[in-house]
Amino acid sequence: MLNYSKHRTFNISLTKKFLLGVIPLLVVVMLVATSLLVVYENKQAKRLEAQYVQQRVDTLARQLAEPVWQLAHNVTANILTASLEDKGTLCIVLEHVSGIVLNAQPLTIGNCGSAVLDVRVFHSPVHYEGLGEARRVADLYLHYRPQTGNFIAHLMQSIKGLMLILITGVLTLVIITTALFRWIIFRPLEQVSNSLKFYQSTGVRHPVDWSSNDELGLLIKDYNNTLSLQVKTEEDLAKARDEAHIALENLKNLQNQLVQTEKLASLGKMVAGIAHEVNTPLGNAKTISTSLDIKLQNFDALIKAGGLKKSSLEEFICEFKDGLRIMSSSLQMAVKQVNSFKQVAVDQTSMLSREFNLKTVVDEILSTLKPRLKHLNVQLDVDIPENFTLFSYPGPLGQIILNAVNNSLTHGFEHQSQGVIYVKAYTDDAQTLVLIIGDNGCGVAPESIDKLFDPFYTTKFGKGGSGLGLYIVYSLVTKILKGSIIIRNNPGLEMEIRMPFQVSSVETVIVSSEKQ
């Protein structure tokens, strides 16, 4: 909105120009409107006059009912004569109904044959009600000349000579007003319009070349100033947009790096767990090996001393066999765990799809968490049928299970001394697998449910939580496994993942910085 201060002066006020051009037209419009109003009022007066006369005729018909029935012709004539005195009444005619009075001639009061223009005839039947029911005995006709009928003719006669002057004046006023507005207002506004069209077609802001000291001139001056300000603002916005784009790209790169770091950290925890599990059977094998070496040295010394007996030989052979059996069993367990870890590691560090058994992959993934669970009073409950075979991506699926279980271990049992983490699967239809991962822990606040899949959202900020675990889960489910995921309190936190049994293609970007 323009702010016209006191120091702004005008040589010719635009308001005065407008009023000087419009006032004559308004006068004409007012005259026409007044004339139309007078005509309307005249019609209303004529309508009311007709209603009044009809009421008079109806009243007169009721007054005549008794004398007409009694054949009191003198009384009837006197009543009609008295009614003839009303202004505008020319004559009154009473016609008896056939069968009531034989050979009766109509009774006429007044002069009905006079040549008078605009005469209206009002009619009302005469009913006699003395016999218990109304009976028409005559018809009453009143010839009346309206008292308001000459107004329109008089008005038209008065203005007939002025019609040509009025028409000429109106046309002249229209032409002058159009030219005046065209010169004073339309011409500069057209330049403003052309400036806007030029900007829309070329993107270049072109100022308006117009100078005047009225309100419109000041408006165009402010418009030109606004154009200059917009040019500068657009340049600043373009610069800020480029800087924001660079910052966004840097943020995406940083986020992807953090995601990869989080994945490697998870893999590192898994490696530590596998190392602990492998150390146990290897330690047993090493202990048995050391024990057998000692027994072998003792047996060798016994031979050299010449004190070898059959019972000593049999005892040595029995102990050596037991030691070899225990050592072989420990080494086989270590080999099995190493092979299992190798498959998990291959899956975790690659994006290869293959056919695999769901329960086998889940067991391999959960086995890497056993060292951590030994220090917590948390039980793993797996309910997956043996025959679930998928053609999908076991690596992302393992990452999902690891992140979900680690999330439960970190957040689910903060105020509980024990708990259960469950993983179960079932089929929803012939093509869809439903995987449930949850716990019976404390759950999350209802207002946080919708934020759990947001990147960097964590309830343990500054306490080791990165806020990327569940974001990675969401991205892997929706982008890699082509599935969907919902999360709820049940009463602990529970994830429901729906995914197809077969996924034949995958996006090149493992985890995008934007949720789909």
Side-chain angles (χ1 to χ4, degrees), residues 266 269-274 276-277 362-376 378 380 398 400-409 421 423:
S266 177
K269 294 178 182 178
M270 184 175 63
V271 169
I274 287 293
H276 183 275
E277 289 296 303
V362 172
D363 288 341
E364 290 174 349
I365 294 296
L366 295 181
S367 66
T368 64
L369 296 172
K370 289 181 179 179
R372 186 178 180 187
L373 294 176
K374 288 180 180 179
H375 304 288
L376 301 172
V378 177
L380 279 177
I400 290 170
I401 295 173
L402 276 177
N403 285 11
V405 174
N406 283 327
N407 183 76
S408 293
L409 293 175
I421 296 176
V423 180

PDB file of all heavy atoms in Angstrom, residues 266 269-274 276-277 362-376 378 380 398 400-409 421 423:
ATOM      1  N   SER A 266      28.288 -51.504  13.217  1.00  0.00           N
ATOM      2  CA  SER A 266      27.479 -52.686  13.503  1.00  0.00           C
ATOM      3  C   SER A 266      28.219 -53.948  13.108  1.00  0.00           C
ATOM      4  O   SER A 266      28.204 -54.958  13.821  1.00  0.00           O
ATOM      5  CB  SER A 266      26.149 -52.586  12.754  1.00  0.00           C
ATOM      6  OG  SER A 266      25.373 -53.736  12.955  1.00  0.00           O
ATOM      7  N   LYS A 269      30.851 -54.725  15.704  1.00  0.00           N
ATOM      8  CA  LYS A 269      30.303 -55.405  16.872  1.00  0.00           C
ATOM      9  C   LYS A 269      30.093 -56.883  16.587  1.00  0.00           C
ATOM     10  O   LYS A 269      30.332 -57.754  17.426  1.00  0.00           O
ATOM     11  CB  LYS A 269      28.987 -54.749  17.295  1.00  0.00           C
ATOM     12  CG  LYS A 269      29.131 -53.323  17.796  1.00  0.00           C
ATOM     13  CD  LYS A 269      27.773 -52.746  18.135  1.00  0.00           C
ATOM     14  CE  LYS A 269      27.903 -51.291  18.603  1.00  0.00           C
ATOM     15  NZ  LYS A 269      26.565 -50.689  18.897  1.00  0.00           N
ATOM     16  N   MET A 270      29.631 -57.158  15.357  1.00  0.00           N
ATOM     17  CA  MET A 270      29.407 -58.552  14.987  1.00  0.00           C
ATOM     18  C   MET A 270      30.726 -59.318  14.936  1.00  0.00           C
ATOM     19  O   MET A 270      30.825 -60.465  15.375  1.00  0.00           O
ATOM     20  CB  MET A 270      28.702 -58.601  13.627  1.00  0.00           C
ATOM     21  CG  MET A 270      28.338 -60.005  13.175  1.00  0.00           C
ATOM     22  SD  MET A 270      27.402 -59.984  11.654  1.00  0.00           S
ATOM     23  CE  MET A 270      28.613 -59.258  10.547  1.00  0.00           C
ATOM     24  N   VAL A 271      31.772 -58.673  14.392  1.00  0.00           N
ATOM     25  CA  VAL A 271      33.092 -59.310  14.327  1.00  0.00           C
ATOM     26  C   VAL A 271      33.605 -59.609  15.736  1.00  0.00           C
ATOM     27  O   VAL A 271      34.165 -60.688  16.000  1.00  0.00           O
ATOM     28  CB  VAL A 271      34.080 -58.416  13.560  1.00  0.00           C
ATOM     29  CG1 VAL A 271      35.499 -58.931  13.713  1.00  0.00           C
ATOM     30  CG2 VAL A 271      33.697 -58.330  12.095  1.00  0.00           C
ATOM     31  N   ALA A 272      33.405 -58.665  16.645  1.00  0.00           N
ATOM     32  CA  ALA A 272      33.848 -58.883  18.020  1.00  0.00           C
ATOM     33  C   ALA A 272      33.127 -60.070  18.641  1.00  0.00           C
ATOM     34  O   ALA A 272      33.726 -60.893  19.353  1.00  0.00           O
ATOM     35  CB  ALA A 272      33.621 -57.625  18.847  1.00  0.00           C
ATOM     36  N   GLY A 273      31.835 -60.179  18.374  1.00  0.00           N
ATOM     37  CA  GLY A 273      31.080 -61.305  18.910  1.00  0.00           C
ATOM     38  C   GLY A 273      31.551 -62.626  18.332  1.00  0.00           C
ATOM     39  O   GLY A 273      31.702 -63.630  19.051  1.00  0.00           O
ATOM     40  N   ILE A 274      31.786 -62.647  17.011  1.00  0.00           N
ATOM     41  CA  ILE A 274      32.262 -63.876  16.382  1.00  0.00           C
ATOM     42  C   ILE A 274      33.632 -64.263  16.938  1.00  0.00           C
ATOM     43  O   ILE A 274      33.922 -65.441  17.211  1.00  0.00           O
ATOM     44  CB  ILE A 274      32.316 -63.693  14.861  1.00  0.00           C
ATOM     45  CG1 ILE A 274      30.898 -63.684  14.293  1.00  0.00           C
ATOM     46  CG2 ILE A 274      33.120 -64.795  14.201  1.00  0.00           C
ATOM     47  CD1 ILE A 274      30.190 -65.006  14.409  1.00  0.00           C
ATOM     48  N   HIS A 276      34.815 -63.672  19.836  1.00  0.00           N
ATOM     49  CA  HIS A 276      34.650 -64.238  21.180  1.00  0.00           C
ATOM     50  C   HIS A 276      34.149 -65.672  21.094  1.00  0.00           C
ATOM     51  O   HIS A 276      34.609 -66.557  21.831  1.00  0.00           O
ATOM     52  CB  HIS A 276      33.666 -63.370  21.973  1.00  0.00           C
ATOM     53  CG  HIS A 276      33.490 -63.823  23.398  1.00  0.00           C
ATOM     54  ND1 HIS A 276      32.595 -64.813  23.744  1.00  0.00           N
ATOM     55  CD2 HIS A 276      34.105 -63.435  24.546  1.00  0.00           C
ATOM     56  CE1 HIS A 276      32.643 -65.012  25.046  1.00  0.00           C
ATOM     57  NE2 HIS A 276      33.566 -64.178  25.567  1.00  0.00           N
ATOM     58  N   GLU A 277      33.197 -65.912  20.174  1.00  0.00           N
ATOM     59  CA  GLU A 277      32.651 -67.255  20.044  1.00  0.00           C
ATOM     60  C   GLU A 277      33.705 -68.221  19.499  1.00  0.00           C
ATOM     61  O   GLU A 277      33.745 -69.395  19.877  1.00  0.00           O
ATOM     62  CB  GLU A 277      31.431 -67.221  19.116  1.00  0.00           C
ATOM     63  CG  GLU A 277      30.210 -66.556  19.720  1.00  0.00           C
ATOM     64  CD  GLU A 277      29.708 -67.339  20.922  1.00  0.00           C
ATOM     65  OE1 GLU A 277      29.408 -68.543  20.785  1.00  0.00           O
ATOM     66  OE2 GLU A 277      29.628 -66.745  22.016  1.00  0.00           O
ATOM     67  N   VAL A 362      18.601 -65.886   9.663  1.00  0.00           N
ATOM     68  CA  VAL A 362      18.273 -65.239  10.946  1.00  0.00           C
ATOM     69  C   VAL A 362      19.087 -65.865  12.071  1.00  0.00           C
ATOM     70  O   VAL A 362      19.623 -65.163  12.941  1.00  0.00           O
ATOM     71  CB  VAL A 362      16.763 -65.328  11.220  1.00  0.00           C
ATOM     72  CG1 VAL A 362      16.448 -64.843  12.637  1.00  0.00           C
ATOM     73  CG2 VAL A 362      15.988 -64.500  10.206  1.00  0.00           C
ATOM     74  N   ASP A 363      19.207 -67.194  12.079  1.00  0.00           N
ATOM     75  CA  ASP A 363      19.998 -67.857  13.127  1.00  0.00           C
ATOM     76  C   ASP A 363      21.461 -67.435  13.050  1.00  0.00           C
ATOM     77  O   ASP A 363      22.111 -67.216  14.085  1.00  0.00           O
ATOM     78  CB  ASP A 363      19.882 -69.375  12.980  1.00  0.00           C
ATOM     79  CG  ASP A 363      18.498 -69.889  13.382  1.00  0.00           C
ATOM     80  OD1 ASP A 363      17.790 -69.136  14.095  1.00  0.00           O
ATOM     81  OD2 ASP A 363      18.131 -71.007  12.992  1.00  0.00           O
ATOM     82  N   GLU A 364      22.002 -67.328  11.833  1.00  0.00           N
ATOM     83  CA  GLU A 364      23.399 -66.911  11.691  1.00  0.00           C
ATOM     84  C   GLU A 364      23.595 -65.488  12.212  1.00  0.00           C
ATOM     85  O   GLU A 364      24.597 -65.190  12.876  1.00  0.00           O
ATOM     86  CB  GLU A 364      23.823 -67.001  10.219  1.00  0.00           C
ATOM     87  CG  GLU A 364      23.951 -68.421   9.698  1.00  0.00           C
ATOM     88  CD  GLU A 364      24.232 -68.457   8.204  1.00  0.00           C
ATOM     89  OE1 GLU A 364      24.109 -67.395   7.560  1.00  0.00           O
ATOM     90  OE2 GLU A 364      24.567 -69.539   7.681  1.00  0.00           O
ATOM     91  N   ILE A 365      22.644 -64.609  11.895  1.00  0.00           N
ATOM     92  CA  ILE A 365      22.748 -63.216  12.351  1.00  0.00           C
ATOM     93  C   ILE A 365      22.647 -63.146  13.875  1.00  0.00           C
ATOM     94  O   ILE A 365      23.458 -62.498  14.551  1.00  0.00           O
ATOM     95  CB  ILE A 365      21.668 -62.351  11.694  1.00  0.00           C
ATOM     96  CG1 ILE A 365      21.898 -62.253  10.185  1.00  0.00           C
ATOM     97  CG2 ILE A 365      21.639 -60.958  12.316  1.00  0.00           C
ATOM     98  CD1 ILE A 365      23.175 -61.570   9.788  1.00  0.00           C
ATOM     99  N   LEU A 366      21.667 -63.855  14.442  1.00  0.00           N
ATOM    100  CA  LEU A 366      21.455 -63.775  15.893  1.00  0.00           C
ATOM    101  C   LEU A 366      22.581 -64.451  16.659  1.00  0.00           C
ATOM    102  O   LEU A 366      22.823 -64.104  17.829  1.00  0.00           O
ATOM    103  CB  LEU A 366      20.110 -64.401  16.252  1.00  0.00           C
ATOM    104  CG  LEU A 366      18.871 -63.666  15.698  1.00  0.00           C
ATOM    105  CD1 LEU A 366      17.592 -64.377  16.134  1.00  0.00           C
ATOM    106  CD2 LEU A 366      18.840 -62.212  16.162  1.00  0.00           C
ATOM    107  N   SER A 367      23.267 -65.410  16.027  1.00  0.00           N
ATOM    108  CA  SER A 367      24.376 -66.068  16.728  1.00  0.00           C
ATOM    109  C   SER A 367      25.512 -65.094  17.016  1.00  0.00           C
ATOM    110  O   SER A 367      26.280 -65.276  17.966  1.00  0.00           O
ATOM    111  CB  SER A 367      24.897 -67.247  15.906  1.00  0.00           C
ATOM    112  OG  SER A 367      25.488 -66.794  14.687  1.00  0.00           O
ATOM    113  N   THR A 368      25.632 -64.061  16.196  1.00  0.00           N
ATOM    114  CA  THR A 368      26.681 -63.068  16.434  1.00  0.00           C
ATOM    115  C   THR A 368      26.378 -62.186  17.636  1.00  0.00           C
ATOM    116  O   THR A 368      27.264 -61.450  18.105  1.00  0.00           O
ATOM    117  CB  THR A 368      26.862 -62.179  15.193  1.00  0.00           C
ATOM    118  OG1 THR A 368      25.663 -61.423  14.966  1.00  0.00           O
ATOM    119  CG2 THR A 368      27.157 -63.015  13.960  1.00  0.00           C
ATOM    120  N   LEU A 369      25.145 -62.229  18.127  1.00  0.00           N
ATOM    121  CA  LEU A 369      24.761 -61.386  19.259  1.00  0.00           C
ATOM    122  C   LEU A 369      24.838 -62.129  20.590  1.00  0.00           C
ATOM    123  O   LEU A 369      24.610 -61.528  21.647  1.00  0.00           O
ATOM    124  CB  LEU A 369      23.329 -60.861  19.062  1.00  0.00           C
ATOM    125  CG  LEU A 369      23.104 -59.940  17.854  1.00  0.00           C
ATOM    126  CD1 LEU A 369      21.620 -59.663  17.674  1.00  0.00           C
ATOM    127  CD2 LEU A 369      23.846 -58.631  18.029  1.00  0.00           C
ATOM    128  N   LYS A 370      25.131 -63.415  20.559  1.00  0.00           N
ATOM    129  CA  LYS A 370      25.139 -64.201  21.801  1.00  0.00           C
ATOM    130  C   LYS A 370      26.132 -63.683  22.832  1.00  0.00           C
ATOM    131  O   LYS A 370      25.826 -63.652  24.029  1.00  0.00           O
ATOM    132  CB  LYS A 370      25.400 -65.667  21.477  1.00  0.00           C
ATOM    133  CG  LYS A 370      24.224 -66.338  20.779  1.00  0.00           C
ATOM    134  CD  LYS A 370      24.512 -67.809  20.499  1.00  0.00           C
ATOM    135  CE  LYS A 370      23.330 -68.477  19.815  1.00  0.00           C
ATOM    136  NZ  LYS A 370      23.590 -69.906  19.508  1.00  0.00           N
ATOM    137  N   PRO A 371      27.357 -63.261  22.433  1.00  0.00           N
ATOM    138  CA  PRO A 371      28.283 -62.727  23.463  1.00  0.00           C
ATOM    139  C   PRO A 371      27.704 -61.529  24.198  1.00  0.00           C
ATOM    140  O   PRO A 371      27.909 -61.384  25.409  1.00  0.00           O
ATOM    141  CB  PRO A 371      29.521 -62.349  22.648  1.00  0.00           C
ATOM    142  CG  PRO A 371      29.464 -63.217  21.440  1.00  0.00           C
ATOM    143  CD  PRO A 371      28.023 -63.387  21.130  1.00  0.00           C
ATOM    144  N   ARG A 372      27.002 -60.663  23.485  1.00  0.00           N
ATOM    145  CA  ARG A 372      26.423 -59.482  24.146  1.00  0.00           C
ATOM    146  C   ARG A 372      25.271 -59.884  25.049  1.00  0.00           C
ATOM    147  O   ARG A 372      25.083 -59.309  26.125  1.00  0.00           O
ATOM    148  CB  ARG A 372      25.952 -58.486  23.098  1.00  0.00           C
ATOM    149  CG  ARG A 372      25.465 -57.176  23.697  1.00  0.00           C
ATOM    150  CD  ARG A 372      25.059 -56.189  22.631  1.00  0.00           C
ATOM    151  NE  ARG A 372      24.602 -54.935  23.229  1.00  0.00           N
ATOM    152  CZ  ARG A 372      24.066 -53.932  22.535  1.00  0.00           C
ATOM    153  NH1 ARG A 372      23.953 -54.033  21.221  1.00  0.00           N
ATOM    154  NH2 ARG A 372      23.671 -52.838  23.152  1.00  0.00           N
ATOM    155  N   LEU A 373      24.503 -60.905  24.616  1.00  0.00           N
ATOM    156  CA  LEU A 373      23.353 -61.326  25.409  1.00  0.00           C
ATOM    157  C   LEU A 373      23.773 -62.046  26.686  1.00  0.00           C
ATOM    158  O   LEU A 373      22.994 -62.127  27.634  1.00  0.00           O
ATOM    159  CB  LEU A 373      22.450 -62.237  24.571  1.00  0.00           C
ATOM    160  CG  LEU A 373      21.767 -61.579  23.360  1.00  0.00           C
ATOM    161  CD1 LEU A 373      20.995 -62.608  22.566  1.00  0.00           C
ATOM    162  CD2 LEU A 373      20.825 -60.467  23.828  1.00  0.00           C
ATOM    163  N   LYS A 374      25.012 -62.595  26.692  1.00  0.00           N
ATOM    164  CA  LYS A 374      25.477 -63.283  27.899  1.00  0.00           C
ATOM    165  C   LYS A 374      25.562 -62.349  29.091  1.00  0.00           C
ATOM    166  O   LYS A 374      25.424 -62.773  30.248  1.00  0.00           O
ATOM    167  CB  LYS A 374      26.852 -63.905  27.639  1.00  0.00           C
ATOM    168  CG  LYS A 374      26.806 -65.117  26.724  1.00  0.00           C
ATOM    169  CD  LYS A 374      28.192 -65.684  26.510  1.00  0.00           C
ATOM    170  CE  LYS A 374      28.163 -66.905  25.594  1.00  0.00           C
ATOM    171  NZ  LYS A 374      29.519 -67.467  25.359  1.00  0.00           N
ATOM    172  N   HIS A 375      25.812 -61.090  28.834  1.00  0.00           N
ATOM    173  CA  HIS A 375      25.947 -60.110  29.924  1.00  0.00           C
ATOM    174  C   HIS A 375      24.606 -59.438  30.257  1.00  0.00           C
ATOM    175  O   HIS A 375      24.553 -58.589  31.126  1.00  0.00           O
ATOM    176  CB  HIS A 375      26.961 -59.038  29.533  1.00  0.00           C
ATOM    177  CG  HIS A 375      28.300 -59.601  29.162  1.00  0.00           C
ATOM    178  ND1 HIS A 375      29.166 -60.136  30.086  1.00  0.00           N
ATOM    179  CD2 HIS A 375      28.913 -59.731  27.947  1.00  0.00           C
ATOM    180  CE1 HIS A 375      30.264 -60.560  29.482  1.00  0.00           C
ATOM    181  NE2 HIS A 375      30.138 -60.322  28.171  1.00  0.00           N
ATOM    182  N   LEU A 376      23.539 -59.787  29.526  1.00  0.00           N
ATOM    183  CA  LEU A 376      22.217 -59.215  29.764  1.00  0.00           C
ATOM    184  C   LEU A 376      21.226 -60.346  30.007  1.00  0.00           C
ATOM    185  O   LEU A 376      21.358 -61.441  29.444  1.00  0.00           O
ATOM    186  CB  LEU A 376      21.760 -58.385  28.548  1.00  0.00           C
ATOM    187  CG  LEU A 376      22.654 -57.213  28.136  1.00  0.00           C
ATOM    188  CD1 LEU A 376      22.179 -56.629  26.810  1.00  0.00           C
ATOM    189  CD2 LEU A 376      22.661 -56.137  29.218  1.00  0.00           C
ATOM    190  N   VAL A 378      18.470 -61.134  28.788  1.00  0.00           N
ATOM    191  CA  VAL A 378      17.532 -60.996  27.684  1.00  0.00           C
ATOM    192  C   VAL A 378      17.498 -62.285  26.890  1.00  0.00           C
ATOM    193  O   VAL A 378      18.553 -62.837  26.540  1.00  0.00           O
ATOM    194  CB  VAL A 378      17.915 -59.819  26.752  1.00  0.00           C
ATOM    195  CG1 VAL A 378      16.967 -59.743  25.562  1.00  0.00           C
ATOM    196  CG2 VAL A 378      17.891 -58.502  27.514  1.00  0.00           C
ATOM    197  N   LEU A 380      16.274 -64.534  23.501  1.00  0.00           N
ATOM    198  CA  LEU A 380      15.900 -64.445  22.090  1.00  0.00           C
ATOM    199  C   LEU A 380      14.884 -65.530  21.780  1.00  0.00           C
ATOM    200  O   LEU A 380      15.111 -66.721  22.082  1.00  0.00           O
ATOM    201  CB  LEU A 380      17.129 -64.622  21.189  1.00  0.00           C
ATOM    202  CG  LEU A 380      18.016 -63.405  20.984  1.00  0.00           C
ATOM    203  CD1 LEU A 380      19.222 -63.776  20.127  1.00  0.00           C
ATOM    204  CD2 LEU A 380      17.240 -62.269  20.336  1.00  0.00           C
ATOM    205  N   GLY A 398      19.952 -59.049   6.982  1.00  0.00           N
ATOM    206  CA  GLY A 398      20.718 -59.208   8.217  1.00  0.00           C
ATOM    207  C   GLY A 398      20.983 -57.881   8.897  1.00  0.00           C
ATOM    208  O   GLY A 398      20.945 -57.783  10.131  1.00  0.00           O
ATOM    209  N   ILE A 400      19.074 -55.297   8.796  1.00  0.00           N
ATOM    210  CA  ILE A 400      17.803 -54.891   9.412  1.00  0.00           C
ATOM    211  C   ILE A 400      17.625 -55.578  10.760  1.00  0.00           C
ATOM    212  O   ILE A 400      17.274 -54.943  11.763  1.00  0.00           O
ATOM    213  CB  ILE A 400      16.639 -55.231   8.463  1.00  0.00           C
ATOM    214  CG1 ILE A 400      16.676 -54.311   7.234  1.00  0.00           C
ATOM    215  CG2 ILE A 400      15.299 -55.111   9.177  1.00  0.00           C
ATOM    216  CD1 ILE A 400      15.731 -54.731   6.134  1.00  0.00           C
ATOM    217  N   ILE A 401      17.870 -56.886  10.793  1.00  0.00           N
ATOM    218  CA  ILE A 401      17.682 -57.637  12.041  1.00  0.00           C
ATOM    219  C   ILE A 401      18.676 -57.166  13.099  1.00  0.00           C
ATOM    220  O   ILE A 401      18.322 -56.958  14.274  1.00  0.00           O
ATOM    221  CB  ILE A 401      17.833 -59.140  11.766  1.00  0.00           C
ATOM    222  CG1 ILE A 401      16.716 -59.601  10.842  1.00  0.00           C
ATOM    223  CG2 ILE A 401      17.811 -59.930  13.067  1.00  0.00           C
ATOM    224  CD1 ILE A 401      16.853 -61.035  10.373  1.00  0.00           C
ATOM    225  N   LEU A 402      19.952 -56.968  12.706  1.00  0.00           N
ATOM    226  CA  LEU A 402      20.954 -56.491  13.664  1.00  0.00           C
ATOM    227  C   LEU A 402      20.572 -55.142  14.248  1.00  0.00           C
ATOM    228  O   LEU A 402      20.621 -54.931  15.466  1.00  0.00           O
ATOM    229  CB  LEU A 402      22.321 -56.394  12.973  1.00  0.00           C
ATOM    230  CG  LEU A 402      23.158 -57.671  12.876  1.00  0.00           C
ATOM    231  CD1 LEU A 402      24.438 -57.399  12.098  1.00  0.00           C
ATOM    232  CD2 LEU A 402      23.491 -58.209  14.261  1.00  0.00           C
ATOM    233  N   ASN A 403      20.188 -54.199  13.387  1.00  0.00           N
ATOM    234  CA  ASN A 403      19.841 -52.858  13.871  1.00  0.00           C
ATOM    235  C   ASN A 403      18.609 -52.889  14.758  1.00  0.00           C
ATOM    236  O   ASN A 403      18.537 -52.183  15.775  1.00  0.00           O
ATOM    237  CB  ASN A 403      19.617 -51.922  12.682  1.00  0.00           C
ATOM    238  CG  ASN A 403      20.905 -51.508  12.019  1.00  0.00           C
ATOM    239  OD1 ASN A 403      21.958 -52.063  12.295  1.00  0.00           O
ATOM    240  ND2 ASN A 403      20.850 -50.518  11.140  1.00  0.00           N
ATOM    241  N   ALA A 404      17.613 -53.695  14.369  1.00  0.00           N
ATOM    242  CA  ALA A 404      16.394 -53.756  15.172  1.00  0.00           C
ATOM    243  C   ALA A 404      16.661 -54.356  16.545  1.00  0.00           C
ATOM    244  O   ALA A 404      16.188 -53.848  17.572  1.00  0.00           O
ATOM    245  CB  ALA A 404      15.325 -54.561  14.429  1.00  0.00           C
ATOM    246  N   VAL A 405      17.431 -55.466  16.578  1.00  0.00           N
ATOM    247  CA  VAL A 405      17.723 -56.101  17.872  1.00  0.00           C
ATOM    248  C   VAL A 405      18.612 -55.196  18.716  1.00  0.00           C
ATOM    249  O   VAL A 405      18.396 -55.056  19.938  1.00  0.00           O
ATOM    250  CB  VAL A 405      18.378 -57.472  17.639  1.00  0.00           C
ATOM    251  CG1 VAL A 405      18.834 -58.078  18.967  1.00  0.00           C
ATOM    252  CG2 VAL A 405      17.399 -58.418  16.939  1.00  0.00           C
ATOM    253  N   ASN A 406      19.618 -54.581  18.105  1.00  0.00           N
ATOM    254  CA  ASN A 406      20.473 -53.655  18.861  1.00  0.00           C
ATOM    255  C   ASN A 406      19.676 -52.472  19.398  1.00  0.00           C
ATOM    256  O   ASN A 406      19.949 -51.979  20.502  1.00  0.00           O
ATOM    257  CB  ASN A 406      21.609 -53.147  17.970  1.00  0.00           C
ATOM    258  CG  ASN A 406      22.718 -54.173  17.801  1.00  0.00           C
ATOM    259  OD1 ASN A 406      22.988 -54.948  18.721  1.00  0.00           O
ATOM    260  ND2 ASN A 406      23.346 -54.187  16.641  1.00  0.00           N
ATOM    261  N   ASN A 407      18.683 -52.004  18.639  1.00  0.00           N
ATOM    262  CA  ASN A 407      17.824 -50.912  19.126  1.00  0.00           C
ATOM    263  C   ASN A 407      17.053 -51.345  20.360  1.00  0.00           C
ATOM    264  O   ASN A 407      16.910 -50.594  21.325  1.00  0.00           O
ATOM    265  CB  ASN A 407      16.874 -50.480  18.015  1.00  0.00           C
ATOM    266  CG  ASN A 407      16.005 -49.298  18.419  1.00  0.00           C
ATOM    267  OD1 ASN A 407      16.441 -48.166  18.470  1.00  0.00           O
ATOM    268  ND2 ASN A 407      14.752 -49.588  18.733  1.00  0.00           N
ATOM    269  N   SER A 408      16.554 -52.604  20.339  1.00  0.00           N
ATOM    270  CA  SER A 408      15.833 -53.109  21.513  1.00  0.00           C
ATOM    271  C   SER A 408      16.764 -53.253  22.705  1.00  0.00           C
ATOM    272  O   SER A 408      16.405 -52.922  23.843  1.00  0.00           O
ATOM    273  CB  SER A 408      15.187 -54.461  21.180  1.00  0.00           C
ATOM    274  OG  SER A 408      14.171 -54.318  20.219  1.00  0.00           O
ATOM    275  N   LEU A 409      17.989 -53.754  22.485  1.00  0.00           N
ATOM    276  CA  LEU A 409      18.941 -53.916  23.587  1.00  0.00           C
ATOM    277  C   LEU A 409      19.354 -52.572  24.170  1.00  0.00           C
ATOM    278  O   LEU A 409      19.584 -52.455  25.381  1.00  0.00           O
ATOM    279  CB  LEU A 409      20.180 -54.674  23.090  1.00  0.00           C
ATOM    280  CG  LEU A 409      19.967 -56.136  22.695  1.00  0.00           C
ATOM    281  CD1 LEU A 409      21.244 -56.718  22.113  1.00  0.00           C
ATOM    282  CD2 LEU A 409      19.503 -56.957  23.897  1.00  0.00           C
ATOM    283  N   ILE A 421      13.310 -60.643  23.376  1.00  0.00           N
ATOM    284  CA  ILE A 421      13.296 -60.109  22.018  1.00  0.00           C
ATOM    285  C   ILE A 421      12.834 -61.241  21.105  1.00  0.00           C
ATOM    286  O   ILE A 421      13.393 -62.346  21.154  1.00  0.00           O
ATOM    287  CB  ILE A 421      14.687 -59.610  21.585  1.00  0.00           C
ATOM    288  CG1 ILE A 421      15.120 -58.435  22.478  1.00  0.00           C
ATOM    289  CG2 ILE A 421      14.659 -59.163  20.125  1.00  0.00           C
ATOM    290  CD1 ILE A 421      16.522 -57.948  22.184  1.00  0.00           C
ATOM    291  N   VAL A 423      11.544 -62.736  17.217  1.00  0.00           N
ATOM    292  CA  VAL A 423      11.571 -62.615  15.761  1.00  0.00           C
ATOM    293  C   VAL A 423      10.678 -63.732  15.217  1.00  0.00           C
ATOM    294  O   VAL A 423      10.933 -64.914  15.493  1.00  0.00           O
ATOM    295  CB  VAL A 423      13.001 -62.764  15.201  1.00  0.00           C
ATOM    296  CG1 VAL A 423      12.974 -62.622  13.673  1.00  0.00           C
ATOM    297  CG2 VAL A 423      13.932 -61.734  15.806  1.00  0.00           C
TER     298      VAL A 423
END
